[in-house]
Amino acid sequence: MGVTETTSFRANVFDPNCPGRGVMEHVASRWGVLVLGVLLDGTLRFGEVRQAVGGVSEKMLAQTLQALERDGLVHREVRPVIPPHVDYSLTDLGRPIAEGVRELYRLIEESTASVLVAQAAFDERKAAR
């Protein structure tokens, strides 16, 4: 029997058996965080997502989008034209998660200079040992 919207279920990602860990893995993956952030700006086609993310292969992007779609975070719409157009957008479930992810990488961007200083200091201390 599967979990439904009406089933009482409380996830605990610190539990190794929690199914939320799989979702967290998709969201927090190298490409998942970037795809979710890019889609916050609106509906995009596959090539536009790939260009906006930068550095992702077609295979990895396809796998990432499929995982996020399966998790209910991304909507995939195929438009019946020749050649077919496939649009990707965030779902109502995916939007708040993407906003949280975007806040995380904004914090990372703001802290990067300080992190680089800390890394250099660490490397100097380690080299001096």
Side-chain angles (χ1 to χ4, degrees), residues 23-33 36 68 101 104:
V23 177
M24 185 172 64
E25 193 174 303
H26 300 152
V27 168
S29 71
R30 178 179 185 181
W31 304 115
V33 294
L36 290 171
L68 295 172
V101 166
L104 173 63

Side-chain angles (χ1 to χ4, degrees), residues 55-103:
V56 64
S57 69
E58 283 191 30
K59 178 182 177 183
M60 286 308 303
L61 180 57
Q63 288 176 354
T64 299
L65 285 165
Q66 186 174 39
L68 295 172
E69 180 185 8
R70 181 174 183 266
D71 292 339
L73 307 180
V74 168
H75 174 71
R76 178 181 185 265
E77 183 176 347
V78 179
R79 290 194 272 147
V81 295
I82 306 286
H85 290 132
V86 181
D87 292 326
Y88 294 92
S89 60
L90 292 172
T91 63
D92 290 342
L93 178 62
R95 180 158 296 283
I97 292 172
E99 288 168 350
V101 166
R102 181 178 270 181
E103 183 58 29

Side-chain angles (χ1 to χ4, degrees), residues 12-55:
N12 175 2
V13 295
F14 293 101
D15 179 342
N17 299 312
C18 178
R21 279 196 177 187
V23 177
M24 185 172 64
E25 193 174 303
H26 300 152
V27 168
S29 71
R30 178 179 185 181
W31 304 115
V33 294
L34 299 173
V35 166
L36 290 171
V38 164
L39 290 177
L40 268 171
D41 294 332
T43 300
L44 296 172
R45 291 176 55 190
F46 184 89
E48 293 171 323
V49 175
R50 185 169 182 219
Q51 183 178 6
V53 168

